[in-house]
């Protein structure tokens, strides 16, 4: 990953066993980036998790809906921390694929 800021791109989807898993990075209006892991859930919905924000998880009936929902979840999570004068965890931008 390019850690310099310009030219950042999301990694390509990867195959993990029989499940496809994608890692995305999102920029908000303030150019804040968050890594998101998205994968198909057991119930047919797509699940989107934000590793740097513990408990920040969303879902959608499609990948696109899950992405839109997790953007909203990230904004709400960060706003709640800021409202309570709590620190917002920094994004690490580290991803590792392990072949077994």
């Amino acid at each position: 990953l390019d850690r310099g800021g310009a030219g950042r791109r999301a990694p390509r989807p990867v195959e993990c066993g029989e499940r496809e898993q994608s890692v995305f990075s999102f920029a908000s209006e303030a150019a804040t980036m968050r890594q998101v892991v998205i994968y198909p859930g057991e119930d047919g919905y797509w699940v989107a998790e934000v590793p740097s924000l513990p408990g920040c998880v969303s879902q959608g009936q499609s990948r696109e809906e899950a992405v839109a929902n997790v953007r909203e979840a990230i904004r709400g999570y960060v706003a709640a921390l800021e409202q309570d004068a709590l620190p917002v965890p920094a994004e690490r931008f580290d991803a590792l694929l392990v072949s077994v």
Side-chain angles (χ1 to χ4, degrees), residues 34-50:
R34 289 288 167 183
Q35 186 178 69
V36 174
V37 178
I38 186 168
Y39 55 91
E42 295 176 7
D43 59 359
Y45 280 74
W46 285 86
V47 178
E49 299 184 41
V50 186

Side-chain angles (χ1 to χ4, degrees), residues 48-62:
E49 299 184 41
V50 186
S52 64
L53 301 175
C56 188
V57 180
S58 194
Q59 65 180 12
Q61 291 182 346
S62 67

Side-chain angles (χ1 to χ4, degrees), residues 6-7 11 20-21 25 27 34 38 41 46 59 68 72 74-75 83-85 87 89 97-98 100:
E20 181 182 281
Q21 188 174 38
S25 294
R34 289 288 167 183
I38 186 168
W46 285 86
Q59 65 180 12
E72 184 178 337
I74 292 167
R75 287 185 195 113
Q83 183 177 1
D84 292 340
L97 263 190
V98 177
V100 269

Side-chain angles (χ1 to χ4, degrees), residues 1 8-16 19-25 35-38 63 95-97:
L1 281 175
R8 270 198 188 126
R9 64 182 188 280
R12 291 183 300 255
V14 295
E15 297 258 343
C16 183
R19 292 172 54 157
E20 181 182 281
Q21 188 174 38
S22 301
V23 179
F24 295 95
S25 294
Q35 186 178 69
V36 174
V37 178
I38 186 168
R63 288 172 62 112
L96 178 66
L97 263 190

Side-chain angles (χ1 to χ4, degrees), residues 74-92:
I74 292 167
R75 287 185 195 113
Y77 190 107
V78 170
L81 290 175
E82 291 172 343
Q83 183 177 1
D84 292 340
L86 296 171
V88 177
E91 177 57 72
R92 297 178 297 268

